[in-house]
Amino acid sequence: MRISILQITKDCNQDCFYCCRDRNAKEESLDELKHHIDTLENTDQVIITGGEPTLKKDLPEIIRYAKKRIQR
């Protein structure tokens, strides 16, 4: 099984002392995330991560899009 990891947000509602995320990084748009999904090759599964992915308002659409594209 080939797995890809897709970081969809840098936002997080926690303040973990060990966190290594770049809080100043540019947030990617929905179109940019879809492009990343489109470029995944030989992938059977996508792990969606962040920050905190549930804070991304487009999360349901990202999941639907990834599911449709990965199940080619």
Side-chain angles (χ1 to χ4, degrees), residues 31-54:
D31 287 336
E32 289 171 319
L33 291 169
K34 285 181 175 182
H35 175 73
H36 287 307
I37 293 168
D38 289 340
T39 62
L40 297 176
E41 295 183 15
N42 301 320
T43 296
D44 301 311
Q45 186 177 31
V46 175
I47 296 174
I48 295 176
T49 186
E52 175 49 60
T54 60

Side-chain angles (χ1 to χ4, degrees), residues 1-14:
M1 179 178 292
R2 291 159 290 213
I3 300 172
S4 294
I5 298 173
L6 180 65
Q7 183 175 9
I8 64 168
T9 185
K10 309 283 192 282
D11 288 342
C12 186
N13 54 355
Q14 301 293 316

